[in-house]
Amino acid sequence: MLNKATFAGGCFWCTEAVFRQVPGVKSVTPGYTGGVVANPGYEQVCSGRTGHAEAVEIEFDDEVVSYENLLRLFFATHDPTTPNRQGHDVGTQYRSAVFWHFPEQEAVLARVMDELRPTLPPGAQIVTQSQPAGTFYPAETEHQRYYELNPYAPYCRAVIAGKVMKGEQVLAMLQQRGLAD
């Protein structure tokens, strides 16, 4: 059965590239959510004044990959302990957030965060926001499939490629345990 997940983990180019490689993921759409302006554009969101996060909306087959394992991959491929920042990307639009689509997803998120806490460095805390999903606005065409279309761009080589490699490693571990578990 097709299901939805919406994650914000910094730059949506990175997050999209990580989740495109997951078996059972049918689509990954970069866009904006969690803000107060209708139909925001990239420039508006980057200003930090709309309240939106750069996010991805994922359609997935939950008989192939579980929401729980998508969350594990999400947390493994970004830093959930830095508020409003991922690496050199700084601002509320780069915050860590999970926008859940129904209460069961919220419960799974709480369980995965509880599982993650003991693995964090001393003093580190998860700052990932948990919010009900609202309106999701797909990003402009030039932001769709960015890594796939621009693999040699400096940002892709310096940042995204490392996240994709980390995602591949985590995905291999999850596949050994069974993706749909």
Side-chain angles (χ1 to χ4, degrees):
M1 179 173 135
L2 282 186
N3 217 325
K4 274 189 187 174
T6 305
F7 302 145
C11 172
F12 52 27
W13 296 341
C14 297
T15 312
E16 176 193 30
V18 166
F19 284 96
R20 281 209 174 275
Q21 63 188 344
V22 178
V25 167
K26 301 301 180 190
S27 69
V28 184
T29 304
Y32 318 107
T33 194
V36 295
V37 173
N39 298 307
Y42 184 73
E43 300 291 324
Q44 287 176 292
V45 173
C46 285
S47 76
R49 288 183 239 144
T50 68
H52 290 88
E54 286 193 14
V56 294
E57 187 172 79
I58 302 165
E59 284 191 322
F60 65 100
D61 182 341
D62 59 14
E63 292 181 12
V64 178
V65 61
S66 69
Y67 181 72
E68 187 167 348
N69 279 329
L70 291 176
L71 282 169
R72 287 184 178 119
L73 181 60
F74 168 72
F75 281 113
T77 55
H78 85 290
D79 184 351
T81 67
T82 55
N84 301 325
R85 130 176 256 141
Q86 288 296 307
H88 294 294
D89 295 328
V90 178
T92 57
Q93 69 271 25
Y94 300 115
R95 68 188 179 267
S96 176
V98 173
F99 299 89
W100 41 270
H101 292 265
F102 44 87
E104 292 82 5
Q105 285 186 337
E106 181 184 24
V108 172
L109 171 62
R111 189 170 61 246
V112 170
M113 289 195 317
D114 285 345
E115 172 184 294
L116 180 61
R117 281 187 184 92
T119 70
L120 297 175
Q125 298 206 6
I126 297 172
V127 296
T128 303
Q129 296 174 354
S130 170
Q131 297 178 236
T135 304
F136 183 87
Y137 300 97
E140 298 81 353
T141 303
E142 63 267 22
H143 298 293
Q144 307 292 325
R145 301 179 99 84
Y146 188 83
Y147 180 68
E148 180 182 321
L149 297 173
N150 302 282
Y152 300 108
Y155 187 85
C156 293
R157 293 176 68 196
V159 178
I160 301 174
K163 288 188 180 247
V164 168
M165 189 180 315
K166 172 74 174 187
E168 289 169 350
Q169 294 167 349
V170 172
L171 188 55
M173 184 224 21
L174 292 173
Q175 285 176 312
Q176 287 178 347
R177 295 185 351 199
L179 274 179
D181 293 341

